[in-house]
Amino acid sequence: MSIDAAIQAIRERKPRRVVVMTGAGVSADSGIPTFRGPDGLWRNFRPEELATPEAFRRDPLLVWEWYEWRRGLIRDAQPNAAHEAIARLPDALVVTQNVDGLHTRAGSRDVVELHGNIFHVSCVREGNPRMHAEAFPDLPPRCECGALLRPGVVWFGEALPEDAMPRAYAALQRADLLLVIGTSGVVYPAAGLARAYDGLSIEVNPDTSLGSACTFLVPARAAEATPRIIDVILEVQS
Ligand code: OAD
């Protein structure tokens, strides 16, 4: 399906309240590897083998080496044209599965980070979540109390931040357009959001093999298609 049909629908419906849901694909054009597919593998491990409480208990050094590698990539990366276009939407809620913080760096003000933030850490004994964006001199890093620090992200089997899904669902109830950008849509509960929405929705993903829960599927890279879609939204809103 071409982008033209999606753009035509925006011109007809003139959506005012927009929710944008993103996954790793929106940051692929910033050079950050996605999770699934060949690029997602690190030293032959799958993310599902590393992003779990069990993996951390078994081998905190291995898990931290993976996170420090990703933190370094993200630190050096810049928001791309898709993040920047999304940030131009006034009053849109951005619901992201990404932990890279690039939507906020691009200027989006209302961002729900469903899976936390990779530059946050907390103590496994004391909790006490805090920001720590710099590289750690020694891995695995430890809290002043001596216990291990862990990345401030949601691992498989863990609960999402308490207010994340309620905020996303509340915004979807009022929305008249949902944009879904760069997610394989296989990780729940995030994947349930797009499936629960029955208004006008547009997905951007170069891989069409999984099909789409959205009204329109635009087979293109995020940095290429998102600015074009958002230009039209802003045009009909003005
Ligand atoms: P995935 O790696 O599962 O999927 C990325 C999607 O982005 C795929 O469908 C790709 O086709 C698409 N894609 C690749 N390049 C793109 C581009 N340039 N523009 C647009 N789309 C592109 O990532 P997520 O769906 O975000 O969770 O994964 C969901 C969750 O699984 C992650 O948040 C993480 C992971 O394990 C946790 O760590 C809990």
Side-chain angles (χ1 to χ4, degrees):
M1 194 178 279
S2 79
I3 193 170
D4 299 335
I7 284 176
Q8 180 62 29
I10 295 170
R11 290 200 195 286
E12 282 163 17
R13 302 277 278 273
K14 301 185 175 32
R16 303 214 71 82
R17 284 159 306 202
V18 183
V19 172
V20 186
M21 189 178 147
T22 64
V26 78
S27 298
D29 293 321
S30 294
I32 301 172
T34 58
F35 291 95
R36 291 172 183 81
D39 285 355
L41 295 178
W42 172 80
R43 294 195 208 158
N44 292 325
F45 290 99
R46 304 184 157 281
E48 290 86 344
E49 296 169 41
L50 296 163
T52 69
E54 294 74 30
F56 188 68
R57 271 197 296 276
R58 197 168 47 235
D59 195 344
L61 176 59
L62 175 74
V63 171
W64 260 113
E65 282 174 341
W66 182 56
Y67 277 98
E68 272 301 73
W69 170 71
R70 290 179 55 211
R71 282 159 54 98
L73 287 177
I74 293 167
R75 219 180 278 117
D76 294 342
Q78 298 302 324
N80 65 54
H83 300 105
E84 281 160 9
I86 293 165
R88 286 195 280 126
L89 281 173
D91 307 324
L93 181 71
V94 180
V95 180
T96 187
Q97 296 167 85
N98 299 347
V99 295
D100 57 30
L102 288 180
H103 286 298
T104 306
R105 272 170 63 191
S108 284
R109 276 169 305 183
D110 212 359
V111 182
V112 174
E113 292 181 314
L114 292 174
H115 295 161
N117 187 300
I118 201 165
F119 294 118
H120 292 178
V121 295
S122 64
C123 171
V124 297
R125 188 188 297 155
E126 300 175 329
N128 186 17
R130 65 200 96 152
M131 170 98 159
H132 188 108
E134 309 81 46
F136 288 103
D138 294 304
L139 295 180
R142 290 189 178 272
C143 178
E144 297 75 40
C145 79
L148 286 170
L149 290 175
R150 59 160 286 173
V153 300
V154 176
W155 282 329
F156 286 98
E158 293 186 321
L160 269 49
E162 208 173 306
D163 60 343
M165 293 302 278
R167 278 193 69 203
Y169 275 111
L172 273 182
Q173 260 168 10
R174 295 190 303 270
D176 27 40
L177 172 65
L178 170 66
L179 298 179
V180 177
I181 304 174
T183 176
S184 55
V186 296
V187 174
Y188 281 79
L193 283 168
R195 290 183 172 79
Y197 182 71
D198 59 5
L200 175 63
S201 55
I202 300 171
E203 174 164 1
V204 176
N205 196 319
D207 178 3
T208 58
S209 64
L210 289 180
S212 177
C214 292
T215 326
F216 296 97
L217 172 57
V218 176
R221 289 182 13 250
E224 176 198 328
T226 314
R228 291 181 59 195
I229 292 169
I230 285 175
D231 280 349
V232 182
I233 298 171
L234 292 171
E235 187 190 307
V236 300
Q237 285 184 344
S238 65

